[in-house]
Amino acid sequence: MARGSWPYFDPEYETLSIRINPPQVSVDNTSCNDCTLVKVDSMNKPGILLEVVQILTDLDLIITKAYISSDGGWFMDVFHVTDQHGQKIADSKTIDYIEKVLGPKGHTSDILKTWPGKRVGVNSMGDYTAIELIGRDRPGLLSEISAVLANLHVNVVAAEVWTHNRRTACVLYVNDDATCRAVEDPSQLSAMEEQLKNILRGCENDEKLAHTSFSVGSTHVDRRLHQLLFADRDYEGTCSATEPDFPPSSKPKISIDRCEEKGYLVVTVRCKDRPKLMFDIVCTLTDMQYVVFHATISSDSPYASQEYYIRHVDGCTLDTEGEKEKVIKCLEAAIRRRVSEGLSLELCAKDRVGLLSEVTRVLRENGLSVTRAGVSTVGEQAMNVFYVTDSSGNPVDTKTIEGLREEIGHTMMLNVKKDPTNTKAHDASGWAKTSFFFGSLLEKFRP
């Protein structure tokens, strides 16, 4: 039998079209009085919309309007953005970064690499070990997780935790206290996995509640949290009593119609506006294997209106009511995951092994439930943000807060703020808005 042969494929061919027609990016501060226009024209490719939105949101920019068009082989987007204070982008370094990373010499293709769906994964990344967990939520769970890591002399350098529909997902970056490098001791890794798996399983024997495995690769943290909860089917069922319930006026209104002329499905979302809303929606559509061909985004404070013209990657549209209902449920879940009622507690202290365990133990002992959390370390300082309610999901009373100040105020700075995504009427207490943005921090963790 004649030996088969394969034609030669030049690896440079894959990027030929991009090199012939390089992306064009402009940051315009003159055309609009109250915002900066970011314009992106480039060859179309899978996932490009999510890449661009992810970069803008990681810079803590607020997308107030957007016009998306990617029909055919070309991608043309215009984003109206401001900083967190509603002002134009004034920082020249930020402007240069946008033009560089989205321009011809940008390297954004690795952004969309993903981990397989794992329950507990451990992955070494330079000086840090990345751990991801998914399991049933319960009061004190974060305290138990951090206590296990502290007992194993593992320091939590950065982490983000989300809870939704009685499920919790978290991504943690840790290192060995003795070496300040990634955890490499096989016995320590094995003990870490086994103990974390036991905590996530709790008193239940249902294997759905927790699995353990090693994973390879890396991905954007917020996207990974969406993927973990989506794979866990958190969009099914109803929210627990400790999670925020939307008043009728604030509940997301999502509809799906058919555009017969062009063969698109039109997904319309109207809900309370907040940072990263567009990212959460585009991320979910992308992970559900839908392609956005056109979109219009607008914000009429305090509400946002977003319209997406989509098809499945195989070119098909949704044919059954069941498929439409699943998309609606998944988008509702994506919007709700980042919504946390109650207060946010910002704590700052000198970093040390066991700090997160100590703080979460105090929160648990004071009857507080953590609905979302962000942990970061800058230099020798650890900065933690916890969104909390009482154990029943109700607002935290003043007496409890004062008790916290007395117990930990002498060892760390404590700042109490109103949660910006609170859907209830804001009172006149003077609490300012706050939000925790994790993406830019993790730039230093990427290989």
Side-chain angles (χ1 to χ4, degrees):
M1 180 180 292
R3 184 176 179 180
S5 62
W6 296 94
Y8 172 73
F9 178 79
D10 188 345
E12 293 293 319
Y13 181 78
E14 186 177 356
T15 60
L16 178 62
S17 60
I18 296 178
R19 287 183 282 116
I20 294 176
N21 299 289
Q24 298 180 9
V25 180
S26 67
V27 180
D28 180 3
N29 264 326
T30 60
S31 298
C32 190
N33 294 328
D34 56 1
C35 66
T36 299
L37 303 187
V38 178
K39 304 175 184 178
V40 182
D41 294 342
S42 75
M43 294 292 295
N44 197 9
K45 62 177 181 178
I48 187 172
L49 176 59
L50 180 57
E51 290 182 14
V52 176
V53 174
Q54 178 176 300
I55 289 167
L56 295 178
T57 54
D58 279 352
L59 290 169
D60 298 349
L61 300 178
I62 305 298
I63 300 173
T64 58
K65 290 183 181 180
Y67 304 96
I68 313 299
S69 178
S70 61
D71 222 347
W74 202 253
F75 174 83
M76 295 177 289
D77 287 7
V78 179
F79 298 90
H80 296 233
V81 301
T82 67
D83 62 19
Q84 289 294 302
H85 305 289
Q87 304 298 317
K88 294 183 179 183
I89 306 174
D91 181 23
S92 59
K93 291 183 178 179
T94 300
I95 294 175
D96 291 343
Y97 177 81
I98 293 173
E99 292 177 339
K100 178 180 179 181
V101 75
L102 295 179
K105 297 183 179 180
H107 299 282
T108 59
S109 59
D110 290 338
I111 285 176
L112 300 181
K113 290 182 178 178
T114 61
W115 282 333
K118 306 295 184 182
R119 301 290 170 163
V120 178
V122 181
N123 171 46
S124 179
M125 296 176 63
D127 290 340
Y128 306 93
T129 299
I131 306 173
E132 58 178 39
L133 306 99
I134 182 79
R136 183 186 294 277
D137 189 31
R138 66 176 186 274
L141 179 60
L142 181 58
S143 177
E144 295 178 37
I145 291 171
S146 54
V148 162
L149 298 176
N151 291 336
L152 292 171
H153 305 287
V154 173
N155 187 38
V156 179
V157 181
E160 182 143 331
V161 182
W162 289 0
T163 62
H164 181 246
N165 263 4
R166 301 181 178 88
R167 307 299 289 174
T168 186
C170 59
V171 176
L172 306 97
Y173 286 81
V174 304
N175 60 19
D176 189 296
D177 180 43
T179 64
C180 293
R181 294 187 62 81
V183 181
E184 297 177 345
D185 180 20
S187 62
Q188 192 177 16
L189 286 171
S190 178
M192 190 189 314
E193 282 194 289
E194 185 62 28
Q195 292 183 41
L196 290 175
K197 180 180 70 174
N198 290 337
I199 287 175
L200 290 175
R201 183 181 296 122
C203 300
E204 303 289 341
N205 294 318
D206 184 359
E207 281 299 316
K208 178 181 182 299
L209 300 182
H211 291 274
T212 180
S213 63
F214 285 91
S215 60
V216 295
S218 63
T219 190
H220 185 271
V221 172
D222 285 8
R223 188 181 185 195
R224 186 56 189 154
L225 290 167
H226 277 303
Q227 289 175 333
L228 286 168
L229 289 167
F230 172 72
D232 198 57
R233 305 173 73 91
D234 73 317
Y235 52 86
E236 297 179 343
T238 57
C239 291
S240 66
T242 59
E243 293 182 20
D245 190 18
F246 288 95
S249 60
S250 298
K251 185 176 180 180
K253 296 179 175 62
I254 303 174
S255 63
I256 298 179
D257 299 303
R258 187 180 296 275
C259 177
E260 298 289 352
E261 182 181 356
K262 296 291 185 178
Y264 297 128
L265 281 176
V266 184
V267 179
T268 304
V269 180
R270 181 167 173 80
C271 64
K272 195 96 170 191
D273 196 16
R274 60 163 174 78
K276 296 194 176 184
L277 177 63
M278 184 179 181
F279 170 83
D280 293 337
I281 293 173
V282 173
C283 177
T284 300
L285 290 173
T286 302
D287 286 335
M288 294 184 74
Q289 302 296 303
Y290 289 101
V291 179
V292 176
F293 289 88
H294 300 278
T296 57
I297 312 299
S298 64
S299 176
D300 184 13
S301 184
Y303 294 97
S305 178
Q306 304 193 7
E307 189 173 69
Y308 298 89
Y309 292 73
I310 67 170
R311 290 194 198 113
H312 198 267
V313 290
D314 60 10
C316 298
T317 56
L318 297 173
D319 295 324
T320 67
E321 290 302 316
E323 291 175 314
K324 291 183 181 180
E325 184 178 349
K326 181 179 178 180
V327 171
I328 291 174
K329 286 184 176 180
C330 289
L331 291 177
E332 286 180 346
I335 294 170
R336 297 185 70 134
R337 288 169 192 149
R338 214 187 287 267
V339 174
S340 302
E341 288 285 354
L343 302 179
S344 68
L345 306 179
E346 298 179 343
L347 299 100
C348 181
K350 186 174 181 179
D351 187 38
R352 66 180 188 277
V353 172
L355 176 61
L356 181 60
S357 176
E358 175 187 333
V359 172
T360 53
R361 175 185 56 80
V362 172
L363 296 179
R364 181 187 63 189
E365 291 175 350
N366 281 271
L368 298 182
S369 177
V370 178
T371 60
R372 189 157 57 95
V375 176
S376 62
T377 304
V378 179
E380 296 184 349
Q381 294 296 310
M383 294 178 289
N384 303 338
V385 180
F386 300 95
Y387 296 87
V388 298
T389 63
D390 69 12
S391 58
S392 300
N394 298 316
V396 182
D397 59 44
T398 305
K399 184 178 179 180
T400 301
I401 296 299
E402 293 306 316
L404 281 176
R405 290 189 188 277
E406 293 179 5
E407 188 166 356
I408 63 177
H410 61 283
T411 59
M412 62 187 71
M413 295 175 58
L414 172 62
N415 191 22
V416 181
K417 293 186 177 182
K418 194 76 171 179
D419 176 46
T421 59
N422 194 333
T423 56
K424 297 178 182 178
H426 286 219
D427 58 23
S429 61
W431 280 328
K433 288 186 175 182
T434 183
S435 55
F436 183 79
F437 295 92
F438 199 58
S440 56
L441 168 72
L442 290 179
E443 287 293 333
K444 67 178 183 179
F445 295 144
R446 290 175 181 157

